[in-house]
Amino acid sequence: MPAQLQSKGRVYLVPLIAILLNIASCTTNNRNINRVSLVGAGASFPAPLYERWLSDYNQQNPNVEINYQAIGSSAGVQQLIEGTVDFAASDVGITNEQAAKIKRGAIALPITAGSIVLAYNLAPVVRQSSQVNVPTALKLSRQVYVDIFLGKITNWNHPKIAAANPGVNLPNLPIQVVHRTDGSGTTSVFTQHLSAISPEWKSKVASGKAVPWPVGIGGKGNEGVTALIQQIPGAIGYVEYVYAKQNKLPMAALENKFGNYVTPTPKSVAQTLEAVKLPADNLIAFITDPIGAQSYPIVTYTWLLTYHQYPNRVKAQALKNFIDWAVVDGQKSSLELGYIPLSKKVVIQVQSAAKKIGE
């Protein structure tokens, strides 16, 4: 090849190499920008739903990885305050005092809802005795389940339990109460309800994420309480509906304020939620003793907590995208797993509040 042509070839080749390298560099940078990892922690109440959501969302958005640890509402809020997570989850939202400790600001978004049930284990006794015929939804009056957790009713064949369950041959078996050991939003919702229906409970124990239980043994998280109920004949404990459903534990029909015994079902829980009005300023509200004739009495939203400001704009946008997906497409998984989908009105409220993230 003539020297002149070789020289021209090199002149053209160098710019081409530079262009190709520049394109490759831009492609790599775009991949790095699009790939984002988010970390959350908190309530065990919504953990089964979060697990489904994060798996489904990652399949649709492979560059977004979101990890969630179910460590309890109290621990989740504390990690948000300390800035060690990108978001938290709590069954009681966040208090004004807690929010004031977060310099970056905090936003509470109701993300799904569900019920807290009293699950029990009389299966071994039923199998061993032909004289015992305990129904799958034993009826417990308001006074009875308060007295069980106060330690005043200690045996399953107590006359007050029998009175609400005529025709049922209850076992002569000690009641073993199971409760949470960790700071728990589920505990807070349950004890708020007990305080609302029982002056004695309110004065002796009160409500909170952790309380001085009069009786019982403790388990960590909804999963820990569920495991203990499964293992101990005569056990009764409070867990989120999904945990009892997935582990096929019987759930008591509880007496509501109207005097009706209501089993926890998506329909009865949804009827309770209809009476909850979320204030526009923080979207946090509770109904401790619903008045509806067919309302299940222990129901709550669960909240996803975010910062108002994020130093990393990519993380802020990725979280906003996930939240928008969760309150629309993600709600389809709620009912399937045993949670209650958000109403259209609440979805609009959440979407409006979520727009403030990163602004």
Side-chain angles (χ1 to χ4, degrees):
M1 181 180 292
Q4 191 175 12
L5 287 178
Q6 288 181 358
S7 175
K8 286 183 178 180
R10 283 193 292 270
V11 170
Y12 291 129
L13 186 59
V14 171
L16 180 60
I17 293 172
I19 291 170
L20 291 173
L21 288 174
N22 188 48
I23 291 172
S25 175
C26 289
T27 302
T28 302
N29 288 338
N30 284 339
R31 285 175 181 169
N32 289 336
I33 289 173
N34 290 335
R35 188 171 295 279
V36 60
S37 178
L38 299 170
V39 177
S44 62
F45 182 107
L49 182 58
Y50 276 35
E51 183 179 351
R52 168 72 69 83
W53 279 354
L54 300 186
S55 175
D56 291 349
Y57 191 73
N58 182 251
Q59 288 181 8
Q60 298 175 29
N61 302 272
N63 286 342
V64 181
E65 182 182 0
I66 309 175
N67 295 299
Y68 181 76
Q69 290 185 315
I71 57 176
S73 295
S74 288
V77 171
Q78 186 58 39
Q79 289 203 9
L80 192 76
I81 292 172
E82 294 172 357
T84 57
V85 292
D86 299 305
F87 67 93
S90 169
D91 302 331
V92 288
I94 188 169
T95 66
N96 291 333
E97 292 76 16
Q98 291 169 330
K101 297 177 182 178
I102 303 175
K103 294 180 180 180
R104 292 158 58 186
I107 299 174
L109 305 169
I111 204 75
T112 190
S115 56
I116 296 169
V117 305
L118 295 186
Y120 56 91
N121 179 9
L122 296 178
V125 180
V126 174
R127 286 196 298 267
Q128 294 168 14
S129 175
S130 60
Q131 297 180 345
V132 174
N133 63 330
V134 179
T136 55
L138 199 65
K139 294 179 180 179
L140 297 179
S141 71
R142 289 151 76 86
Q143 191 59 57
V144 162
Y145 62 84
V146 170
D147 284 348
I148 286 175
F149 282 85
L150 282 172
K152 297 171 71 173
I153 292 180
T154 60
N155 202 288
W156 281 104
N157 65 355
H158 192 282
K160 288 186 178 180
I161 299 179
N165 297 274
V168 176
N169 295 318
L170 295 164
N172 181 15
L173 181 71
I175 294 174
Q176 178 64 70
V177 170
V178 184
H179 56 73
R180 291 281 286 271
T181 55
D182 52 323
S184 159
T186 304
T187 297
S188 181
V189 173
F190 180 56
T191 55
Q192 282 184 57
H193 171 70
L194 295 182
S195 293
I197 68 173
S198 169
E200 183 179 5
W201 182 275
K202 186 175 182 178
S203 64
K204 290 183 177 180
V205 186
S207 61
K209 293 178 183 176
V211 299
W213 294 100
V215 291
I217 60 173
K220 186 175 181 180
N222 274 283
E223 63 277 13
V225 173
T226 301
L228 287 173
I229 296 171
Q230 289 177 302
Q231 295 164 15
I232 303 171
I236 185 171
Y238 61 96
V239 294
E240 201 279 323
Y241 171 84
V242 171
Y243 289 85
K245 178 187 176 185
Q246 289 181 345
N247 290 280
K248 298 180 180 178
L249 286 172
M251 297 170 258
L254 302 183
E255 183 188 15
N256 65 15
K257 192 168 188 174
F258 202 81
N260 292 330
Y261 288 90
V262 182
T263 56
T265 65
K267 183 177 180 180
S268 64
V269 173
Q271 286 183 331
T272 305
L273 286 172
E274 288 176 3
V276 182
K277 293 184 179 180
L278 297 172
D281 57 343
N282 64 8
L283 301 186
I284 298 175
F286 305 97
I287 182 165
T288 57
D289 191 18
I291 60 175
Q294 299 304 320
S295 292
Y296 181 75
I298 316 176
V299 172
T300 185
Y301 283 104
T302 183
W303 287 263
L304 189 149
L305 308 175
T306 78
Y307 296 107
H308 187 184
Q309 298 294 336
Y310 284 83
N312 187 325
R313 291 186 178 181
V314 176
K315 279 193 173 185
Q317 188 59 52
L319 186 56
K320 289 171 75 171
N321 292 345
F322 168 70
I323 291 168
D324 189 62
W325 177 91
V327 298
V328 180
D329 294 344
Q331 295 300 305
K332 299 170 186 175
S333 303
S334 296
L335 200 57
E336 178 186 339
L337 292 179
Y339 294 91
I340 306 303
L342 301 177
S343 68
K344 290 182 180 179
K345 180 180 179 181
V346 174
V347 168
I348 292 171
Q349 287 180 287
V350 172
Q351 290 176 323
S352 177
K355 289 179 182 178
K356 300 175 184 177
I357 297 173
E359 291 183 354

